[in-house]
Amino acid sequence: MLSPCVIAVAVLGVIVALHLLFELHYFTRSLLTVVVCLFCKKKRHVLDTLSVRGICLTSDIDVLLYHMNNARYLREVDFARIDFYQRTGLLGHISAKGGGVVQGAATIRYRRFIRPFTIFRIDTRVIYWDSTSLFMEHRFVTPKDNFVRAIAVCRQRLIDCNAEEIMTDLLSRPEPKMANQLAGVSNPSAVIEMEPEDKDNKMHTVVLDPVKPNMPPGKPDLPLEVAKWLESIEISSANLRNGC
């Protein structure tokens, strides 16, 4: 029978090996983000701006020891994007179509330091899409002054499915709040409720604004900064193809 010391050393060795071979913190936090989205957070519309909070810890700072490492920003964006994909149903819809999604490009602009132990918020939203890609904006905001410390734009490339079709399907669905209100209504084209007509509490019917499922929110215009960014990507691609 193995002694407790041998077992402890073996367990410690396995933990060290896992840390060396895999980014355990990244995978653990990603899994935790998915679990929280599934069981603790409400579903949201795909054009909503979703927010997650974070804090700059000592493991996030750079060698100068007084601000968040530049590489950590895009790492934090990963967790914000997981939250967005899960709560809007975007990832599930892509998977249902037999597709996948990968990071195609990213650009980030740093405006002001995030100091150690500073709480920040990442506001994520879809700002544009075409047939092949989704463009997502991520803003790092400090709640104490509501200042945008950094802003990142990511191009999410869809594989084996059409981004236009995905977004059209999601936009044609009622928003989560509206869907809950319409649950059990036989005729969703008009919602009826009863209100007292006078002091005798006689009831009369009030017809609210009709629900128009065929009029989803429109596709946003291509932001100028994204258009210029795409131009720079095309120039870079042309240079690489020409061997520059």
Side-chain angles (χ1 to χ4, degrees):
M1 184 176 180
L2 297 177
S3 67
C5 290
V6 173
I7 295 175
V9 170
V11 171
L12 180 61
V14 170
I15 294 174
V16 171
L18 289 174
H19 273 281
L20 292 175
L21 296 174
F22 302 99
E23 184 62 79
L24 285 187
H25 176 267
Y26 180 85
F27 290 116
T28 301
R29 187 174 170 188
S30 297
L31 178 61
L32 181 61
T33 301
V34 172
V35 171
V36 170
C37 289
L38 290 176
F39 299 104
C40 302
K41 291 187 175 182
K42 295 181 179 180
K43 298 296 184 182
R44 297 290 296 272
H45 191 266
V46 72
L47 290 187
D48 285 348
T49 298
L50 274 62
S51 299
V52 297
R53 289 182 178 266
I55 183 171
C56 179
L57 299 175
T58 53
S59 58
D60 299 321
I61 59 178
D62 72 345
V63 293
L64 299 178
L65 304 180
Y66 69 90
H67 67 81
M68 190 170 175
N69 185 289
N70 293 339
R72 285 289 183 178
Y73 287 82
L74 291 179
R75 182 186 176 94
E76 291 295 321
V77 162
D78 274 358
F79 302 122
R81 191 162 48 239
I82 291 172
D83 178 89
F84 188 93
Y85 277 138
Q86 291 295 327
R87 296 177 65 190
T88 60
L90 182 56
L91 183 60
H93 203 67
I94 293 173
S95 300
K97 295 285 187 179
V101 58
V102 295
Q103 181 86 303
T107 180
I108 185 168
R109 185 164 68 92
Y110 306 98
R111 303 182 69 223
R112 189 178 295 177
F113 293 140
I114 294 181
R115 304 290 186 182
F117 307 109
T118 298
I119 295 174
F120 59 87
R121 183 183 77 242
I122 304 177
D123 296 335
T124 299
R125 64 190 180 110
V126 173
I127 56 175
Y128 186 70
W129 62 87
D130 55 26
S131 61
T132 62
S133 305
L134 301 173
F135 296 86
M136 304 181 72
E137 179 190 83
H138 309 272
R139 297 189 176 200
F140 289 77
V141 183
T142 42
K144 63 180 181 180
D145 54 9
N146 210 35
F147 187 83
V148 180
R149 303 282 172 145
I151 181 169
V153 176
C154 298
R155 182 181 190 178
Q156 296 286 285
R157 179 78 71 172
L158 271 63
I159 303 172
D160 296 330
C161 62
N162 188 293
E164 292 276 10
E165 294 179 0
I166 294 292
M167 292 301 294
T168 299
D169 290 345
L170 289 174
L171 291 176
S172 64
R173 298 178 177 180
E175 296 187 20
K177 290 182 179 179
M178 183 180 294
N180 293 335
Q181 293 172 355
L182 296 180
V185 178
S186 59
N187 180 17
S189 62
V191 180
I192 310 297
E193 68 176 15
M194 305 300 292
E195 291 185 351
E197 183 178 10
D198 50 33
K199 295 181 180 180
D200 296 330
N201 288 327
K202 293 181 179 180
M203 306 301 290
H204 70 108
T205 301
V206 177
V207 181
L208 302 181
D209 292 336
V211 179
K212 300 178 180 179
N214 295 325
M215 297 182 63
K219 178 180 178 180
D221 295 329
L222 176 63
L224 179 60
E225 64 271 25
V226 174
K228 296 298 183 182
W229 181 45
L230 291 177
E231 287 182 17
S232 70
I233 291 175
E234 290 299 325
I235 294 172
S236 175
S237 296
N239 289 337
L240 292 174
R241 286 192 293 267
N242 294 330
C244 296

